[in-house]
Amino acid sequence: MASLNRALLVATACPRWRPAQRLGLQALAGAAGPKAEKNVPYQRTLKEEAQGPGAASRGPSQPLPSTASVVVIGGGSVGCQTLYHLAKLGVAGAVLLERERLTSGTTWHTAGLLWQLRPSDVEVELLAHTRRVVSRDLEEETGMHTGWIQNGGLFIASSRQRLDEYKRLMSLGKAYGVESHVLSPAETKVLYPLMKVDDLYGTLYVPQDGTMDPAGTCSTLARAAVARGARVIENCTVTGIRVRTDDFGVRRVAAVETEHGSIQTPCVVNCAGVWAGAVGRMAGVKVPLVAMHHAYVVTERIEGIQNMPNVRDHDASVYLRLQGDALSVGGYEANPIFWEEVSDKFTFGLFDLDWDVFTQHIEGAINRVPVLETTGIKSTVCGPESFTPDHKPLMGEAPELRGFFLGCGFNSAGMMLGGGCGQELAHWVMHGRPEKDMYSYDIRRFHPSLTAHQRWVRERSHESYAKNYAVVFPHDEPLAGRNMRRSLLHEELLGQGCVFQERHGWERPGWFSPQGPAPVLEYDYYGAYRKRPHRDYAYARLLADEYTFSFPPQHHVIQKECLACRGAAAVFDMSYFGKFYLLGPDARRAADWLFSANVSRPPGSTVYTCMLNHRGGTESDLTVSRLAPGTQACPVAPAFEGDGYYLAVGGGIAQHNWCHITTVLQDQRFRCQLVDCSEDLGLISIQGPASRAILQEVLDADLSDAAFSFSTHQLVQAAGHLATGTGMRSCGLMTAPWRPAWPSPASSSLPSPSWAVRPWRSSGLRASAGASCASLWRI
């Protein structure tokens, strides 16, 4: 049997991969194609039974019901967990449809690791719930063992920054009751005698981490769900999603169609994993994920490895999973293989392992556990997994279709996150929202212009995959999928040395570098797929300075900007904000329902308010301006009948707020419409004690307190262009349609862009109590 060292030598001697196709990526349709005869290292799989005689002609495992309260599509980890938690909530008539057998897609070959500590507090809670379900709840309910093994987890720190990250994780874990310990190299050697520790700064040990058996867990979940009244139907392929349009023009789920009949249902949960995109297309829903090959190898027996903890060496991008008396070795590489044409016939299948791609994991594994150099390889496991643009799952109700929920795109973490996410998804379906703050998982976090852009999805998903084991720094920014949404001031600000940050596809001004322009270049895939990496990349160098848990080197630059703003004024390009019009006969009723403050004031009024949900929680804070009816139909003064409001919403939550307002309008049947003008309107905010004097030079309006009072807005002329100005005490807004002729700071009285900083990064930046502020919305 070949050893890991032999495999490494063979891989390095092989020619490199073929030139990439499609955006510079490797073509995947090789002559060999996917393989179905390989084995995964689990005692229990359903593969043999599923592929037995007559499997192709076998019908559904039980008759289809004519109706169902909820239909879950996909019998993997997340689908089974969602069905189980729906049943626990008392949902009667929930049905799970699986095209083959449970786990036949991607779950059956997963490594099944569970690490309890993540940088996100919400994820720590989700992981804790998964652990409770698989280690305790299911066995108590069914009497069946899920295959849970608690052997502990060990995180390796090969740098001081990595050790700092682990100490932060340990502190977070203490708050949530997760036992963990930072060990010295010597203590690590005692715990794991086969490990090389002379290059370590330390390790983080979590004794209660462990592994799960995919088949055992899913079959137990299914049994527990069925015992509570749910139904699991295997060998039943979904062929379509029937949609109806109600009297108000709202698209809603009506039925699920299969090869063996249809099921009437108002709710579908798409847990189809790699195939979730195809299921989404059946319903006209965009699912932003890509499929990639993800692999690990299983070694022969290793003497002394028994009972050792699982290992994550993030700096080497490799994990070592205890597999009885052997190890499974895998990780995340910079050049993963994309599965270009996802086959709907692929069940219990694997691909041939590309040793050229897998080489780096072998190097890291041998460096960490030297005995692996002479250890044989028992089997290779390379299967498909789905990955998303931000390495977070896709969950929640799709904005395009009411009643269509997503529970997919788990980035090879579906087993460990499945319990927590299944619980939240079930609550989402039943009560309209999850119990925990799941915003970072909510599909509504992506703007439709991004989810429909395949290149953006591909680039960002690649970067998220390649950086999965990177240190999570507080001010990191992506290099992939940039320059998707830009304001017309972008080039002007860039020329002044603006260093941009990405928020929901927008290039948002961050701070100004004295070193000059630092443009964000086209994504180079970090040199993978024969792409030439950028050299002398100014933006990447500045971003690298942000890779710290302390103050970055440019902290003093931002400090000077803040001090200058306090004495004069600050200019903020806030075009990334959401800019919506709420118009129509019932707009006033809708506004009274949505907002906590009284916004039904005379036209010309602007109110700063919160937007609440039906549970009394806060969705966001925003400014709401009451509009006067007009007929000129220009962008800053739209024509409408009834009542009208202009909403300015923070850019980070704009799409979420759009979906929330739309849902309220649909559910309450308000006769009004929400118009998104975010791409058409610019928004510039001028703040500080000198803001009024500066604006007075470029506006034709009288900005005195008597003529332009607090919390009001007016149509004004700004350098010859129609705009809307709003007077506020700590933040003001002015709007105008984008025009290329808008004067640059060099040719107007606007303050120097060197004062343009984002206030939320600079503490204490506020206008004085008596100062006016303004923003230009649509220029």
Side-chain angles (χ1 to χ4, degrees), residues 61-94:
S61 57
Q62 59 177 288
L64 271 65
S66 59
T67 62
S69 55
V70 183
V71 174
V72 178
I73 301 175
S77 169
V78 180
C80 291
Q81 289 277 12
T82 301
L83 185 74
Y84 167 71
H85 284 93
L86 283 169
K88 286 192 71 173
L89 286 177
V91 177

Side-chain angles (χ1 to χ4, degrees), residues 68-135:
S69 55
V70 183
V71 174
V72 178
I73 301 175
S77 169
V78 180
C80 291
Q81 289 277 12
T82 301
L83 185 74
Y84 167 71
H85 284 93
L86 283 169
K88 286 192 71 173
L89 286 177
V91 177
V95 175
L96 184 147
L97 299 180
E98 165 56 45
R99 61 182 177 132
E100 249 284 353
R101 297 297 302 273
L102 296 182
T103 77
S104 65
T106 61
T107 298
W108 76 293
H109 59 71
T110 183
L113 290 159
L114 192 149
W115 316 94
Q116 293 181 87
L117 292 182
R118 292 285 186 105
S120 164
D121 55 348
V122 173
E123 288 192 2
V124 172
E125 293 184 85
L126 297 175
L127 292 166
H129 183 72
T130 299
R131 189 185 181 282
R132 284 193 298 271
V133 169
V134 300
S135 67

Side-chain angles (χ1 to χ4, degrees), residues 704-715:
S704 65
D705 286 340
F708 206 143
S709 60
F710 169 69
S711 287
T712 63
H713 66 272
Q714 297 179 18
L715 285 176

Side-chain angles (χ1 to χ4, degrees), residues 284-458:
V285 172
K286 296 182 289 292
V287 182
L289 57 74
V290 296
M292 298 183 190
H293 292 202
H294 193 55
Y296 60 89
V297 300
V298 184
T299 71
E300 295 285 1
R301 184 178 188 277
I302 302 174
E303 186 62 40
I305 205 68
Q306 296 80 3
N307 301 318
M308 290 296 100
N310 304 312
V311 175
R312 251 185 169 179
D313 190 338
H314 290 96
D315 294 316
S317 194
V318 66
Y319 69 79
L320 306 173
R321 177 207 192 271
L322 184 69
Q323 191 69 51
D325 57 2
L327 288 178
S328 297
V329 180
Y332 293 81
E333 56 279 351
N335 56 332
I337 299 175
F338 287 74
W339 192 15
E340 302 288 2
E341 302 295 335
V342 177
S343 170
D344 59 359
K345 306 299 183 184
F346 192 93
T347 60
F348 290 111
L350 296 172
F351 304 105
D352 281 329
L353 181 65
D354 189 323
W355 287 103
D356 191 34
V357 173
F358 198 77
T359 297
Q360 58 188 281
H361 305 315
I362 298 175
E363 294 173 336
I366 290 176
N367 176 68
R368 190 54 52 218
V369 181
V371 70
L372 291 175
E373 186 171 5
T374 56
T375 301
I377 300 173
K378 181 165 56 177
S379 62
T380 65
V381 179
C382 181
E385 292 281 0
S386 58
F387 295 90
T388 63
D390 57 0
H391 217 73
K392 299 288 186 183
L394 307 175
M395 295 180 62
E397 190 174 29
E400 304 100 318
L401 180 61
R402 300 300 304 275
F404 189 91
F405 287 80
L406 298 179
C408 53
F410 276 79
N411 305 279
S412 78
M415 282 297 299
M416 71 174 81
L417 287 171
C421 288
Q423 181 187 47
E424 295 305 313
L425 192 52
H427 197 277
W428 219 328
V429 169
M430 286 298 298
H431 303 291
R433 61 185 304 110
E435 288 192 310
K436 296 181 175 60
D437 178 10
M438 300 290 287
Y439 173 72
S440 61
Y441 287 9
D442 193 336
I443 182 61
R444 299 178 297 178
R445 68 189 184 269
F446 296 120
H447 191 268
S449 66
L450 303 178
T451 58
H453 199 291
Q454 289 302 309
R455 180 167 184 170
W456 180 84
V457 173
R458 190 182 185 101

Side-chain angles (χ1 to χ4, degrees), residues 31-45:
K35 301 297 182 182
E37 68 274 7
K38 295 179 180 293
N39 295 315
V40 292
Y42 300 110
Q43 292 181 346
R44 299 184 61 202
T45 71

